[in-house]
């Protein structure tokens, strides 16, 4: 750049940039409580080049659980509801399912028996309904489902049942040079088809559970095939393992809502330098749901007990959020 | 932005931007042959918003093999030379290695026996020398080795034995909105410690082979431990699987040098829309090495035969590159 151009251009850019950000609150759905103040305080600290807590942009890695943190997980994991719908859709081709658990329960909508079949039963359901096609074909099935299926209580698409304050938080972090990753117990390819559209998170920034895949020529055409075998369960102690495997460095900020996120929060917080941990506590039965220690889905017990000691922010949804879902008012 | 500011600023930026790029050749180490012309033609086509082959920046995914494509793989894979040095360094703690293959061969520098021990023997060597520590500790061992070990022929650090034309190509693609990934048969954590410094590629954009890891508390401290078990071999048909697992979408450009890259090139090329495949053919025994069909390391046979049919550019290192390594004048 010529010196003349630089002298000309730089002051304009400097003048212009702060104007935009000072003008509007980046987190309008957050009440001005301790939680919001701590988020903003952390972001300002790590982005202040003159401050002691400055972190270079490439190290500003933030990881987000999905179920119960970015979107709802009630009345059950949305991916489980998807798997049930898939089993129903495929039932005609599998007459044996009518008398075989957990398929029978899925077809009959018997949630109690389904949940009672435990992780093994649910995995069986997912394997049977999620394998045998390419990732692209699978994502297209997921997209079709998301375009038509409705949440039983809110009667809207599942991708509408996302938390407005968390969408704002994702955008706020990215505006401040963070790279935002999803680190979910849910299926990686279940998420990748819509994470960009809904969260602004591209496929390569999604970490999740996976089944095995295989490369082969199908009718001479190079293809990746989804196989009915578990590859990796990205939950609990699997989350730091998944983060290390996919991202290859320790995040400086982690956001979760259940004991399944404990190790991810623990590992993130134990790094050197400024760290941020946050737990979304579901305290709002009126606008959304209220649950914690006794819940089958999204149990929050140990992580709640140890939050204070670890310096994690516990978001009280009822009091900290003035708006829960984007579709409110 | 106010209308006045916009009227002021936009023409300056437009005036300024093309000046820089027109002024200098982004690929000076490439002779002006067909290979270079096809690279530039592809990049110009996918970045021209008005053209029929335009690809949005988020889909501009380019994948690069490492050994033999970004850095040399002669006289043997550099990671194997590292593993041999590790075995030597650890030999005092393992007296049993003196009479046990492939460790005996490693300690004695008997490359013929070592290579003869096959993939299984080499894996055993890597497991024994790469496990039992955290990823950070491992990367620190790798860094120490890279800081002192010298390439036997060029007598320089291994990270100097990288191909200048490929460094330029990485930078050129990134300048044009591409995201560049390494997709290597080598160890993912062997690469991650220095890929940013040497290639400008951050850890989260490295895909490679891996051993299993485990999350645990070590003396109460959250830790990830590297285990002596293979997790994933990112080679041959494993490369498209690894790309799908880590990146989650099909690249539009792939760069390799051996039959180990065949499936990655094949899968990349088979996608819809504009695609680019390139093979670095080692034809320069004087400045570097010359090898292809008969080589144990980096064998290039099938991919060379099928390159033309698949539309892949075959780089003739001797004629297409006017400079091979950065340290050449």
């Amino acid at each position: 750049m010529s010196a003349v151009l630089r002298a000309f251009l730089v002051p304009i850019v400097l003048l212009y940039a702060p104007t935009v950000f000072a003008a509007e609150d980046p987190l309008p759905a957050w009440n001005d409580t301790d939680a919001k103040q701590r988020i903003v305080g952390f972001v300002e600290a790590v982005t202040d080049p003159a401050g002691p807590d400055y972190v270079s942009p490439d190290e500003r890695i933030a990881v987000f659980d999905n179920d119960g943190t970015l979107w709802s997980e009630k009345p059950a994991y949305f991916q489980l509801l998807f798997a049930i719908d898939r089993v129903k859709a495929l039932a005609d081709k599998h007459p044996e399912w009518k008398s075989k658990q957990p398929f029978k329960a899925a077809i009959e909508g018997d949630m109690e028996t389904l949940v009672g079949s435990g992780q093994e039963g649910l995995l069986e359901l997912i394997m049977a309904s999620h394998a045998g096609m390419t990732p692209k074909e699978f994502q297209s099935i997921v997209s079709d489902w998301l375009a038509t299926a409705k949440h039983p209580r809110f009667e809207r698409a599942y991708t509408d049942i996302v938390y407005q304050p968390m969408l704002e938080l994702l955008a706020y972090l990215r505006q401040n040079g963070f790279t935002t990753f999803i680190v979910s117990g849910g299926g990686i390819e279940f998420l990748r088809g819509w994470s960009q559209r809904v969260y602004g998170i591209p496929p390569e920034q999604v970490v999740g559970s996976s089944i095995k895949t295989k490369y082969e020529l199908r009718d001479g055409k190079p293809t990746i095939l989804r196989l009915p075998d578990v590859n990796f369960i990205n939950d609990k102690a699997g989350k730091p393992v998944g983060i290390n495997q996919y991202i290859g460095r320790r995040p400086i900020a982690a956001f979760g809502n259940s004991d399944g996120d404990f190790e991810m929060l623990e590992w993130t917080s134990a790094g050197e330098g400024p760290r941020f941990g946050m737990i979304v506590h579901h305290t709002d039965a009126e606008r959304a749901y209220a649950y914690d220690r006794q819940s089958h889905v999204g149990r929050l017990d140990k992580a709640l007990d140890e939050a204070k000691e670890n310096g994690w922010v516990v978001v009280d949804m009822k009091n900290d959020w003035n708006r829960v879902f984007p579709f409110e008012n």
Side-chain angles (χ1 to χ4, degrees), chain A:
Chain A
M1 203 189 301
S2 79
V4 173
L5 269 184
R6 186 184 291 119
F8 209 53
L9 191 57
V10 170
I12 294 175
V13 172
L14 290 179
L15 199 79
Y16 166 61
T19 319
V20 175
F21 298 111
E24 45 187 74
D25 178 359
L27 301 171
W30 293 76
N31 290 323
D32 194 22
T33 53
D34 178 63
K36 178 176 184 170
Q37 287 160 13
R38 286 175 68 185
I39 293 168
V40 173
F42 173 75
V43 170
E44 289 181 348
V46 301
T47 54
D48 176 4
D53 286 335
Y54 179 73
V55 175
S56 65
D58 64 307
E59 292 286 349
R60 290 180 206 154
I61 304 283
V63 290
F64 288 80
D65 169 59
N66 183 47
D67 296 303
T69 299
L70 296 180
W71 76 354
S72 177
E73 57 191 350
K74 294 286 178 179
Y77 293 126
F78 294 174
Q79 189 177 359
L80 175 59
L81 303 178
F82 164 76
I84 292 170
D85 283 352
R86 280 303 293 160
V87 166
K88 285 179 184 167
L90 296 169
D92 281 352
K93 288 184 188 163
H94 295 272
E96 74 279 12
W97 284 354
K98 276 181 192 139
S99 53
K100 190 187 173 194
Q101 292 298 9
F103 301 98
K104 183 172 183 288
I107 293 167
E108 293 169 356
D110 174 1
M111 290 300 287
E112 204 173 332
T113 303
L114 248 188
V115 172
S117 72
Q119 202 186 20
E120 207 176 311
L122 299 181
L123 273 177
E124 203 179 340
L125 208 67
I126 284 176
M127 294 307 158
S129 55
H130 287 41
M133 71 285 277
T134 71
K136 205 172 166 187
E137 287 163 352
F138 177 68
Q139 285 175 10
S140 155
I141 294 168
V142 173
S143 289
D144 290 348
W145 181 76
L146 289 171
T148 54
K150 298 272 183 250
H151 186 277
R153 174 173 160 191
F154 296 106
E155 297 180 336
R156 289 173 172 273
Y158 287 99
T159 46
D160 287 347
I161 321 300
V162 294
Y163 303 121
Q164 175 65 25
M166 299 305 287
L167 298 181
E168 293 171 3
L169 181 52
L170 285 169
Y172 174 58
L173 290 173
R174 289 193 294 256
Q175 270 167 16
N176 282 282
F178 281 77
T179 308
T180 53
F181 287 83
I182 292 173
V183 176
S184 172
I188 193 166
E189 289 182 336
F190 179 76
L191 282 151
R192 279 176 166 166
W194 50 272
S195 59
Q196 175 73 56
R197 174 173 61 87
V198 176
Y199 301 134
I201 295 180
E204 61 270 24
Q205 287 160 20
V206 176
V207 181
S209 297
S210 54
I211 56 178
K212 289 190 191 298
T213 57
K214 183 183 146 192
Y215 180 76
E216 61 175 26
L217 298 183
R218 197 168 61 173
D219 303 328
K221 205 180 151 194
T223 299
I224 288 173
L225 183 68
R226 290 168 56 82
L227 305 174
D229 299 308
V230 173
N231 179 53
F232 181 62
I233 301 291
N234 191 55
D235 197 25
K236 301 189 176 72
K239 288 204 172 187
V241 167
I243 291 170
N244 182 66
Q245 184 177 320
Y246 281 80
I247 308 177
R249 45 184 157 191
R250 201 191 295 229
I252 65 164
F255 303 83
N257 79 298
S258 78
D259 284 358
D261 304 313
F262 181 83
E263 287 85 354
M264 172 172 90
L265 283 156
E266 181 182 56
W267 191 58
T268 299
S269 305
E272 286 167 24
R275 301 281 152 171
F276 192 82
M278 195 182 98
I279 293 170
V280 175
H281 188 191
H282 292 267
T283 54
D284 195 329
E286 200 180 319
R287 294 182 298 176
Y289 298 92
Y291 59 96
D292 46 35
R293 298 181 195 276
Q294 304 304 322
S295 181
H296 270 294
V297 171
R299 180 193 306 271
L300 174 64
D301 189 30
K302 184 185 179 191
L304 194 57
D305 287 338
E306 303 196 13
K308 196 169 179 185
E309 190 187 331
N310 285 299
W312 301 333
V313 173
V314 178
V315 170
D316 176 349
M317 191 182 269
K318 192 173 178 175
N319 292 309
D320 291 335
W321 291 357
N322 60 58
R323 191 173 164 195
V324 175
F325 300 117
F327 54 79
E328 289 170 17
N329 60 34

